[in-house]
Amino acid sequence: MVGRLSEETKEQIADMLLAVTNKNTAKMINILSTMGLIDESIEIKNLRLALDEFIEKYYELSLEHLELGRIVQEFFQIVQQYQIRIPADFILMGKALITTEGFGRDLDPEFSLSIQIKPFVEDLVKRRLSPLRLWREFNAVLAELVNLSKILPK
């Protein structure tokens, strides 16, 4: 399995990681909804409860006790139950994580993929929240507002 994540996909993953880190299931649902992945017919309240339960189950565990493969599988069960459409990039990444963790545990029973990827996740989140990036986003939004103000009736 070889592939690359687009910048947009990396951003979406970073947003989801920040939402999970902050136990903000409303934000998670908002991200999924904004991406057009949630069917309007599902019960958002039930989805939110399922995500809350999912996050609580793993939130306090130390990294060495996290089994990323199981977490990904349980997340995909929620995805199936609530008919959330997941982009192919996310599915491939999930499969790659499960495979990597399996190989790692075969080679070393003490292996924890969570510990191995922690520096990459931290770097992704730091880049996502960097002042320079936030400034650029602010300027882009400001430019859009200026353009919008030019075309609105006076």
Side-chain angles (χ1 to χ4, degrees):
M1 238 181 291
V2 175
R4 295 216 181 269
L5 296 176
S6 68
E7 284 304 313
E8 181 181 10
T9 301
K10 288 178 188 177
E11 293 292 322
Q12 293 163 340
I13 292 169
D15 288 341
M16 289 296 281
L17 288 171
L18 285 172
V20 169
T21 301
N22 294 319
K23 292 186 179 181
N24 190 344
T25 51
K27 176 74 172 170
M28 290 174 68
I29 292 170
N30 186 30
I31 292 166
L32 293 170
S33 182
T34 301
M35 292 170 66
L37 305 177
I38 296 179
D39 190 84
E40 293 180 16
S41 66
I42 69 159
E43 288 288 329
I44 297 294
K45 179 181 165 190
N46 293 339
L47 174 58
R48 186 172 181 174
L49 288 172
L51 289 173
D52 280 336
E53 192 176 293
F54 172 76
I55 290 172
E56 281 300 320
K57 181 176 182 177
Y58 295 106
Y59 196 80
E60 298 297 326
L61 290 178
S62 62
L63 285 178
E64 61 268 6
H65 293 104
L66 286 179
E67 292 182 36
L68 209 52
R70 182 186 310 169
I71 292 170
V72 170
Q73 286 176 333
E74 285 185 32
F75 180 73
F76 281 126
Q77 286 173 351
I78 293 170
V79 164
Q80 280 183 319
Q81 181 180 354
Y82 291 95
Q83 300 170 349
I84 300 170
R85 295 176 295 278
I86 297 295
D89 290 355
F90 282 43
I91 292 170
L92 286 174
M93 186 180 72
K95 286 181 178 182
L97 290 173
I98 291 169
T99 302
T100 302
E101 185 174 56
F103 283 140
R105 288 197 192 271
D106 285 347
L107 296 171
D108 177 7
E110 301 294 315
F111 176 79
S112 171
L113 185 59
S114 302
I115 291 172
Q116 300 302 316
I117 67 170
K118 183 180 178 185
F120 299 103
V121 172
E122 287 173 347
D123 183 56
L124 182 66
V125 171
K126 281 180 192 172
R127 281 187 287 146
R128 179 79 174 100
L129 297 175
S130 79
L132 179 60
R133 184 175 184 283
L134 293 173
W135 178 252
R136 286 181 182 153
E137 284 183 7
F138 171 75
N139 282 328
V141 169
L142 187 59
E144 285 180 39
L145 287 173
V146 167
N147 288 335
L148 184 60
S149 71
K150 291 177 182 177
I151 62 171
L152 287 174
K154 296 184 184 198

